[in-house]
Amino acid sequence: MRSNRPESGSRCLDLMDNGPVRIPIDGVIDLHAFAPHEASDAVNEYINVCAQKGILEVKIIHGKGKGILRRTVEAALDKHPLVQSFSQDPGPSGWGATIVVLKGLKEQ
């Protein structure tokens, strides 16, 4: 019997205008694959799935640019109930990525 479920470690997110996109659930999401108006929904769904899988630190790559996408991401993170804290990536990505610490599902 064949399952319609995505492979372990990935999930199909139906957020893009061109249809679903399969991205790995490994704690890193690169928003360059999404249109700007899809970023907030992509971040929220990714955080939910990571929390379900027990991934409590997430890196969101949004790029540097003018900071518009970063501000969109930060606004979504401010409202998300699973987000404990977030900050700019202290590594080489700098302000082109945001590191998010999630609450465990029991902490909600």
Side-chain angles (χ1 to χ4, degrees):
M1 182 171 176
R2 189 175 168 158
S3 170
N4 289 332
R5 291 173 46 194
E7 298 173 27
S8 177
S10 68
R11 177 155 175 171
C12 189
L13 298 180
D14 191 6
L15 298 170
M16 294 185 69
D17 292 335
N18 296 330
V21 61
R22 187 173 307 275
I23 59 174
I25 307 299
D26 59 2
V28 178
I29 182 171
D30 187 342
L31 295 180
H32 290 101
F34 296 89
H37 69 274
E38 299 166 331
S40 185
D41 287 340
V43 166
N44 285 324
E45 178 68 13
Y46 195 77
I47 286 172
N48 290 338
V49 175
C50 283
Q52 290 170 359
K53 291 184 150 289
I55 299 170
L56 300 180
E57 185 172 294
V58 177
K59 181 176 186 174
I60 301 171
I61 301 169
H62 41 69
K64 295 180 181 176
K66 295 180 181 179
I68 296 167
L69 190 53
R70 177 182 48 84
R71 288 190 295 276
T72 299
V73 167
E74 289 174 351
L77 296 174
D78 272 333
K79 297 175 189 172
H80 202 291
L82 293 177
V83 172
Q84 180 174 313
S85 64
F86 61 91
S87 61
Q88 290 180 5
D89 183 5
S93 298
W95 54 279
T98 298
I99 303 298
V100 184
V101 177
L102 304 180
K103 301 173 186 173
L105 291 178
K106 295 177 185 177
E107 295 177 37
Q108 278 195 57

